């Protein structure tokens, strides 16, 4: 995290000379040197086999940000070369999430499958040039022949197959004349290359599956390494930015570009993928959480997906800001999940109205308050923003406070309500607890209190001090809602470190409270609003499950600020 923290990128600053991360430095150098006629063109190449997650956001913000910063273009390209796992549902969700993130691909939406014909022609070109051959080894043999890091590989018996024969076999493969696994097309590079990726890598394999766009047109599908760079080249991509694990693939990326009559010569640059504590980012594993119902879908608010974070209450700005703060680095590191939480908490601290919501209600009867009377109490909307004004909240004889704000027997330092003690009701009055009533199970179900009419507004009439200030809600006017409280999905900071990640699931990652009592102003909030429930954190409506008259509310983030120390060192939101 440390080496990344300093590389803040501000696209809006207009000053490109400072704070450039290593990729932007490279792009700037290329542009200054007139490479590609000074053009800058990036892309985001998701495989439509899952929903986008926060790691993808890092790549999207980086790629679209570079295009914007250097007057360039930005493409969205679906890397749909792996038909088994791909689906139109994922295509649609990816576009929705990218739009929400504010990434603008301006109609430049492409699919690797658009290039299948061209890729096939280029494969024929390689064969004719003696740089590719159809191989009959099966998967296990190919692996065995490839050798090891220490030992060179052995040539396939088909390595010197005449071009004519390979061309014919390739046509048969395409045509569906053979079974899966019978043949592959391989590049003829170097079976003794120190980089294993260069030992005659696969170009095509037979797959008799339906593709979500090309249907049953194809019986062969290109491998990622072959399709990706050529797609970049066809689109005129100048900087093909990918994650670090593709560093070893770069020589192969360049080999294809150098050996094919491509119209453009893109350059691959790698950066460290985002890793977050208490989070898994592999789409395969996220899919497993969904299909095995450990979560309620890809957009479950506990998921690290963009749709999950959106449903949890994250804003576009907070995620973009998080991406800016973590920056880009060449070395792998893991970012503290608290930094992501900080990004939304610090924003909402400035923007969110402070409502009163009692999550676990305890009835309080104020015995000396006139029956039937309701008065309006003026409440400050947001102490961080004086322009946000005030609102009124009804106060009456029967109110709710939080169960945890009363203790029958409390230690001296418990400054909330206890028998015989006085507290302040926020913005309202001082009350003193005279009595408490228990049910048969011995639980306290009601308090009987008296208020001091002189303490209106919550200020002391005679200078006497009360330490505790409680939030409250008038019982008759309260809105009952379901509130969902979330905790980290995993118990351990590195959920994959030991054993199975599923064993690390946090059994308490979701707590549902069905009888929360909320001040009536909650009726005015809309799907896009976020607010604070005083002393509880920041909340929003659950966009999927909330109905008018049956509110479902998600806690976006708590107030607890373990990040406070770091925050002091970070730039102001
Ligand atoms: P998985 O390994 O789980 O399948 P992926 O990286 O293969 O994920 P893609 O859909 O291929 O998923 O990713 C699209 C783009 O997003 C790629 O360019 C990839 O490098 C980038 N990306 C994926 N995960 C991260 C991450 N954690 N941090 C930064 N960029 C990422
Ligand atoms: Mg991938």
């Amino acid at each position: 995290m440390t080496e990344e923290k300093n590389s803040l990128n501000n696209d809006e600053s207009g000053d490109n000379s400072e704070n450039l991360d290593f990729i932007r430095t490279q792009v700037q150098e290329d542009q200054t040197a007139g490479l590609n006629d000074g053009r800058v063109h990036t892309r985001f190449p998701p495989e439509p086999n899952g929903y986008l997650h926060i790691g993808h956001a890092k790549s999207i913000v980086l790629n679209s940000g570079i295009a914007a910063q250097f007057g360039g273009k930005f493409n969205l390209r679906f890397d749909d070369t792996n038909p088994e796992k791909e689906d139109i549902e994922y295509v649609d969700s990816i576009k929705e999430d990218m739009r929400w993130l504010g990434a603008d691909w301006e109609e430049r939406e492409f699919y690797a499958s658009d290039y299948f014909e061209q890729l096939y022609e280029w494969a024929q070109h390689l064969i004719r040039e003696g740089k590719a051959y159809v191989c009959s080894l099966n998967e296990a043999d190919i692996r065995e022949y490839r050798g090891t890091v220490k030992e060179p590989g052995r040539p396939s018996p088909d390595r010197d197959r005449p071009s004519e024969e390979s061309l014919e076999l390739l046509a048969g493969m395409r045509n569906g004349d053979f079974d899966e696994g019978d043949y592959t097309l391989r590049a003829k590079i170097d079976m003794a290359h120190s980089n294993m990726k260069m030992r005659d890598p696969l170009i095509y394999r037979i797959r008799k599956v339906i593709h979500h766009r090309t249907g049953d047109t194809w019986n062969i599908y290109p491998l990622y390494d072959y399709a990706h760079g050529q797609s970049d080249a066809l689109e005129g991509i100048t900087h093909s930015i990918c994650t670090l694990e593709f560093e070893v693939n770069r020589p192969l990326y360049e080999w294809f570009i150098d050996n094919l009559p491509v119209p453009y010569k893109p350059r691959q640059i790698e950066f460290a993928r985002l890793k977050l504590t208490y989070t898994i980012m592999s789409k395969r594993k996220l899919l497993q959480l969904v299909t095995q119902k450990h979560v309620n879908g890809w957009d479950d608010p506990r998921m690290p997906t963009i749709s999950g974070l959106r449903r949890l209450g994250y804003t576009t700005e907070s995620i973009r800001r998080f991406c800016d703060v973590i920056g880009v680095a060449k070395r792998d590191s893991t970012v503290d999940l608290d930094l992501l939480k900080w990004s939304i908490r610090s924003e909402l601290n400035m923007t969110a109205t402070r409502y009163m919501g009692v999550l676990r209600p305890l009835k309080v009867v104020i015995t000396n308050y006139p029956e039937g009377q309701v008065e309006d109490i003026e409440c400050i909307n947001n102490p961080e923003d004086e322009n946000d004004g005030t609102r009124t909240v009804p106060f009456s004889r029967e109110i709710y406070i939080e169960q945890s704000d009363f203790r029958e027997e409390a230690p001296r330092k418990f400054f909330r309500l206890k028998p015989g003690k006085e507290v302040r009701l926020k913005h309202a009055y001082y009350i003193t607890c005279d009595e408490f009533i228990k049910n048969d199970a011995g639980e306290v179900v009601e308090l009987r209190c008296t208020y001091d009419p002189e303490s209106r507004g919550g200020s002391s009439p005679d200078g006497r001090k009360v330490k505790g200030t409680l939030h409250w809600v008038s019982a008759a006017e309260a809105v009952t809602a379901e509130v969902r409280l979330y905790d980290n999905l995993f118990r351990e900071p590195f959920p994959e470190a030991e054993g199975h990640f599923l064993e690390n699931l946090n059994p308490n990652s979701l707590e549902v409270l069905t009888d929360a009592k909320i001040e009536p102003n909650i009726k005015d909030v809309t799907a896009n609003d976020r607010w604070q429930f005083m002393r509880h954190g920041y909340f929003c409506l659950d966009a999927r499950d909330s109905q008018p008259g049956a509110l479902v509310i998600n806690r976006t983030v708590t107030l607890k600020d373990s990040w406070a120390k770091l925050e002091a060192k970070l730039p102001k939101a």
Side-chain angles (χ1 to χ4, degrees), residues 4 7 9 16 19-31 40-43 58-59 61-67 69-70 238-244 267-273 327-331:
E4 294 178 328
S7 55
N9 316 303
N16 289 351
N19 284 336
L20 289 186
D21 57 62
F22 79 98
I23 298 182
R24 284 174 164 88
T25 303
Q26 182 68 62
V27 172
Q28 191 179 49
E29 275 173 30
D30 291 349
Q31 191 172 47
V40 171
H41 201 154
T42 58
R43 88 286 174 264
K58 176 176 178 174
S59 175
V61 168
L62 176 66
N63 278 292
S64 62
I66 286 176
Q69 186 175 358
F70 293 93
T238 56
H239 298 84
S240 178
I241 300 166
C242 64
T243 41
L244 220 48
R267 166 206 287 271
Q268 177 180 306
I269 305 177
E270 309 87 17
F271 71 103
R273 65 168 49 229
V328 273
K330 189 83 196 174
R331 216 188 61 211

Side-chain angles (χ1 to χ4, degrees), residues 208-269:
K208 299 196 164 177
V209 286
I210 301 291
H211 186 281
H212 70 103
R213 296 190 84 236
T214 60
D216 61 358
T217 315
W218 292 87
N219 294 297
I220 54 172
Y221 290 95
L223 274 96
Y224 172 88
D225 281 315
Y226 178 61
H228 195 81
Q230 279 46 259
S231 302
D232 284 341
L234 282 163
E235 290 172 19
I237 300 302
T238 56
H239 298 84
S240 178
I241 300 166
C242 64
T243 41
L244 220 48
E245 68 274 17
F246 289 101
E247 200 168 17
V248 296
N249 303 54
R250 196 188 331 138
L252 181 54
Y253 184 99
E254 289 168 355
W255 187 90
F256 282 127
I257 295 287
D258 289 341
N259 285 285
L260 286 169
V262 291
Y264 296 100
K265 301 223 172 229
R267 166 206 287 271
Q268 177 180 306
I269 305 177

Side-chain angles (χ1 to χ4, degrees), residues 539-558:
F539 294 78
C540 66
L541 289 182
D542 186 278
R544 208 163 77 174
D545 296 346
S546 220
Q547 309 277 346
L551 300 184
V552 178
I553 292 170
N554 290 329
R555 179 157 68 189
T556 309
V557 68
T558 61

Side-chain angles (χ1 to χ4, degrees), residues 375-380 389-393 426-428 456-457:
E375 66 180 295
D376 281 340
I377 299 287
E378 189 174 24
C379 296
I380 296 165
T390 60
R391 69 186 186 289
T392 58
V393 175
K426 183 82 177 175
H427 297 308
R456 197 171 195 279

